[in-house]
Amino acid sequence: MLDRGEFGERILQFKPVGDFFAVLDRIGHMPLPPYIRRDDAAGDRERYQTVFSRERGSVAAPTAGLHMTPHVLNELAARGVEIAHVTLHVGLGTFAPLRVDRLQDVHLHRERYTLPEATAAAINRAVSEGRRIVAVGTTVVRTLEHCALQAANGALAPHSGTTEIFISPGFQFRLVGALLTNFHLPKSSLLMLVSAFAGREPVLAAYCHAVQQKYRFFSYGDCMFLT
């Protein structure tokens, strides 16, 4: 261990091996969130993963994506919904509780993302045709809205980069017109994001309903559709 950071962060150095990720797959554990009070099981390697995951990099699964199955995606496509993909490697800061008193003091960890050429073209077509862009998860929202802020002439261009965008009430959304997202934990940046998107009072009302009805929150939890 090379260094200790705040709030349990550590910097580790590993000895070189032939296939580092093969070792992790053999001896590692699925990083279930701490509020799931059990040890990970063999089935979690498939259950705690989205059907469209391709690359290594995220510290956790984007929870809204866990609601998608091949059957659901096929049904959406059959109804004329155009499906496009982005990659964002979820970082620790996305899920860590906010520990500052003022929103202007929030600084999230940088996260790597990729906006593919086909996705940039699909979004540009949707915007020009006045069609609604539905984001499956806050990861997609952060990726698209960051890319929109970077677009010089308003049109998205395919690229890869990093983002530390923090979306809070008052943010002007440029692309996303609807959002499928899980119920998030208190004091999280994600709760700030959904409040910015749908309005603080409607979100609080939805959360009161979820608590009263004993909805499941966060990973493996229930979701809502915001417009």
Side-chain angles (χ1 to χ4, degrees), residues 11-174:
I11 296 179
L12 305 178
Q13 183 180 50
F14 296 90
K15 293 182 179 179
V17 294
D19 190 336
F20 178 72
F21 289 110
V23 175
L24 291 187
D25 288 338
R26 187 179 76 253
I27 68 174
H29 292 268
M30 186 57 62
L32 296 182
Y35 49 82
I36 297 181
R37 295 181 175 87
R38 62 172 174 81
D39 293 334
D40 61 300
D44 289 314
R45 289 181 177 255
E46 179 177 353
R47 292 181 62 210
Y48 195 59
Q49 188 61 275
T50 62
V51 295
F52 37 74
S53 63
R54 295 293 182 273
E55 301 178 22
R56 300 179 185 269
S58 286
V59 303
T63 53
L66 296 175
H67 300 287
M68 295 295 162
T69 65
H71 174 75
V72 170
L73 294 177
N74 289 336
E75 285 290 311
L76 291 173
R79 293 170 181 263
V81 176
E82 187 175 4
I83 299 173
H85 300 83
V86 298
T87 296
L88 182 133
H89 296 293
V90 179
L92 175 64
T94 296
F95 299 101
L98 301 179
R99 296 183 173 92
V100 297
D101 295 326
R102 301 185 304 172
L103 291 183
Q104 55 265 41
D105 294 331
V106 174
H107 297 286
L108 300 183
H109 295 188
R110 289 186 178 181
E111 298 170 313
R112 293 181 293 117
Y113 70 87
T114 296
L115 179 69
E117 181 176 1
T119 300
I123 292 172
N124 290 334
R125 284 196 306 271
V127 171
S128 66
E129 296 169 5
R131 292 186 282 122
R132 184 171 64 172
I133 297 170
V134 180
V136 178
T138 55
T139 54
V140 177
V141 174
R142 295 202 314 281
T143 304
L144 294 186
E145 294 299 331
H146 170 86
C147 292
L149 289 172
Q150 304 301 309
N153 59 357
L156 298 187
H159 69 285
S160 297
T162 62
T163 181
E164 50 189 338
I165 187 171
F166 171 57
I167 297 176
S168 60
F171 182 85
Q172 180 182 353
F173 290 86
R174 291 163 172 79

